[in-house]
Amino acid sequence: MSDDNDNSALRDLDWLLNRMRPLLAEFHAIIDRAFADDPAMHGWRATDFALDVETGAIRPRLTGVPEGHGVHPDHPRYWMPARRPTVELAARTLAHRSRRFDGHRVMPVDADWKDDLRAQHPGMFECEMSVGSGWADLIRAYVEMRGERGEVPRFVQIKEKFGSLRLYESGMSSGLQQIADHLSMCICEECGAPGELRAGGWVRTLCDDHAERRR
């Protein structure tokens, strides 16, 4: 009987993990776009992911992510993101996003997500927040990583500029700010799906669907 229960649990877990495969594909697309100019990242892969049954969140299991950061092949002085913290920030963003996945699609972020952030982190978000809800999970992941480093950011402005997320803080800036800025240019500001910079009288980072709606 115990073996039957174990086999049933494994089947249930396999079923749940298979339902999450579309999110893993999104994660691959975002990382591939973030490191399109870094040849050393061309061998990375997410072999599987772990599922937190209580929250419904998933975290990718990764291989082939080297230390350090790349050098742009055409512009050696161009800033390139540190690989592991960028992948970690993307993985945490995915974990937040995955909690709203119903097996078919990702449900939208609550309309009052900014108020929720202010309530969860008193004094941290007492500023203008003029960005779309597609970056809500990225902002949550950023705060989470900063907190685990023992840092408490105090934002003076959060906005979109030239299609990317800008997190302005009081005090010294963090290297993670640049990483969040870079990663945001691979995530649709409207819905959080994989996106890219689009121009058309404006510059925004959008997925194919939201770019088509703006035409």
Side-chain angles (χ1 to χ4, degrees):
M1 188 67 177
S2 178
D3 288 343
D4 289 342
N5 288 339
D6 289 344
N7 290 335
S8 177
L10 287 172
R11 285 194 297 270
D12 290 344
L13 182 58
D14 286 342
W15 178 78
L16 284 170
L17 292 177
N18 283 330
R19 291 182 73 202
M20 294 293 188
R21 296 295 174 185
L23 288 178
L24 191 61
E26 285 191 357
F27 182 71
H28 270 275
I30 289 169
I31 296 300
D32 285 343
R33 292 176 186 182
F35 291 99
D37 298 317
D38 187 350
M41 280 292 290
H42 292 174
W44 87 278
R45 58 197 176 108
T47 55
D48 203 345
F49 50 84
L51 173 67
D52 184 329
V53 179
E54 291 186 4
T55 65
I58 64 170
R59 287 290 300 271
R61 295 190 178 102
L62 310 171
T63 61
V65 180
E67 296 276 4
H69 58 84
V71 176
H72 195 285
D74 300 319
H75 307 283
R77 296 185 180 180
Y78 181 77
W79 180 86
M80 296 282 279
R83 300 178 183 112
R84 294 197 174 180
T86 302
V87 172
E88 175 65 16
L89 183 59
R92 288 171 183 261
T93 301
L94 175 70
H96 285 285
R97 179 170 170 77
S98 66
R99 294 173 183 172
R100 301 189 308 280
F101 185 61
D102 66 2
H104 302 284
R105 68 189 186 99
V106 179
M107 302 304 290
V109 174
D110 289 340
D112 57 355
W113 66 274
K114 295 176 184 178
D115 293 333
D116 287 344
L117 278 175
R118 292 187 176 104
Q120 292 164 9
H121 305 280
M124 188 179 293
F125 290 96
E126 301 305 318
C127 67
E128 174 192 354
M129 298 175 66
S130 53
V131 296
S133 61
W135 288 340
D137 295 324
L138 177 57
I139 294 170
R140 291 190 181 103
Y142 173 85
V143 170
E144 186 177 88
M145 282 187 70
R146 291 289 301 277
E148 291 186 4
R149 296 177 177 185
E151 302 168 351
V152 181
R154 303 287 180 180
F155 299 103
V156 296
Q157 188 179 37
I158 297 176
K159 69 175 185 177
E160 174 273 328
K161 185 175 182 180
F162 302 129
S164 69
L165 172 66
R166 301 298 173 92
L167 300 168
Y168 297 107
E169 302 177 25
S170 60
M172 295 183 63
S173 62
S174 163
L176 197 60
Q177 284 172 281
Q178 288 181 295
I179 290 175
D181 178 351
H182 181 78
L183 199 56
S184 71
M185 291 185 285
C186 309
I187 297 172
C188 177
E189 185 185 355
E190 295 294 330
C191 70
E196 58 185 85
L197 285 174
R198 319 272 183 162
W202 38 259
V203 178
R204 299 286 303 280
T205 297
L206 300 170
C207 63
D208 292 342
D209 181 47
H210 281 100
E212 182 64 28
R213 294 184 195 184
R214 285 182 170 267
R215 289 181 180 175

